[in-house]
């Protein structure tokens, strides 16, 4: 695979895992997942992880995957790359895994004494990637192995934090997010 194909495949395959965070920011709110429960005097997850935000993120990511499948052929033709098609298991696992990775990170943040919204460099940028890749590897192992070659994975790991920082900074400037991370 040439460089363009590797980068295009990486971004395309990860798009259903990228939008859930942003959808959660837009549509989040309501009862927190942890119901206010604490562990060792600190919240289990905190008020930043809600049922509504999680559901919205999952649905938004899966819906984007359906849309990407519909436009895969024409887009691939324009850029001259054979882009991946998402099987149902991957459509569901990419955004759900992203949300679970983010929730897992909040659990770690609370255990390490970080308040809601406190930055956790590295973890904030990669939690959802790790979650999405792990759950997808479990849910759609064949598709995962075909799509995420070592070079594609390398691009995902390098490009994702950059994209994440960029989109969060934009969401912050637009007043959608309280902190730029
Ligand atoms: N959000 C949500 N449900 C989720 C994830 C996010 O409702 N599962 C919403 C919340 O309104 C949250 C916002 O999106 O405040 C930003 O998400 P994030 O930065 O992940 O949460 P933080 O508020 O920074 O909390 P934490 O420190 O636990 O990451
Ligand atoms: Mg945050
Ligand atoms: K986060």
């Amino acid at each position: 695979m040439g460089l363009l194909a590797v980068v295009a495949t990486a971004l395309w395959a990860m798009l259903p895992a990228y939008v859930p965070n942003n959808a959660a920011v837009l549509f989040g709110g309501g009862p927190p997942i942890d119901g206010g429960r604490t562990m060792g005097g600190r919240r289990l997850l905190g008020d930043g992880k809600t049922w509504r935000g999680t559901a919205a993120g999952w649905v938004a990511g899966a819906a984007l995957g359906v849309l990407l499948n519909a436009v895969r052929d024409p887009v691939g033709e324009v850029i001259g790359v054979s882009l991946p098609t998402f099987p149902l298991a991957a459509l569901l696992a990419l955004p759900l895994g992203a949300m679970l990775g983010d929730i897992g990170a909040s659990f770690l943040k609370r255990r390490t004494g970080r308040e809601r919204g406190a930055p956790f460099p590295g973890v904030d940028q990669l939690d959802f990637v790790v979650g999405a890749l792990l759950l997808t590897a479990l849910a759609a192992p064949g598709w995962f192995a075909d799509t995420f070659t070592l070079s594609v994975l390398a691009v995902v790991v390098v490009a994702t934090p950059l994209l994440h920082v960029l989109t969060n900074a934009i969401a912050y400037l637009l007043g959608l997010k309280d902190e730029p991370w």
Side-chain angles (χ1 to χ4, degrees), residues 71-164:
V71 299
R72 175 220 179 236
D73 289 349
V75 173
E77 205 155 302
V78 168
I79 63 175
V81 173
S82 172
L83 294 165
T85 303
F86 301 98
L88 181 63
L91 271 179
L92 297 174
L94 284 162
L96 180 61
M99 288 279 85
L100 292 177
D102 176 59
I103 290 169
S106 289
F107 179 80
L108 282 181
K109 285 165 102 171
R110 300 302 92 82
R111 304 289 75 71
T112 54
R114 291 172 168 83
E115 298 298 336
R116 174 189 179 181
F120 198 167
V123 174
D124 278 330
Q125 288 75 35
L126 284 169
D127 52 15
F128 64 102
V129 180
V130 173
L133 292 177
L134 278 179
L135 194 63
T136 306
L138 289 172
W143 181 81
F144 181 87
D146 288 345
T147 307
F148 291 100
T149 59
L150 279 183
S151 44
V152 169
L153 277 177
V155 170
V156 168
V157 169
V158 173
T160 304
L162 298 176
L163 280 171
H164 188 67

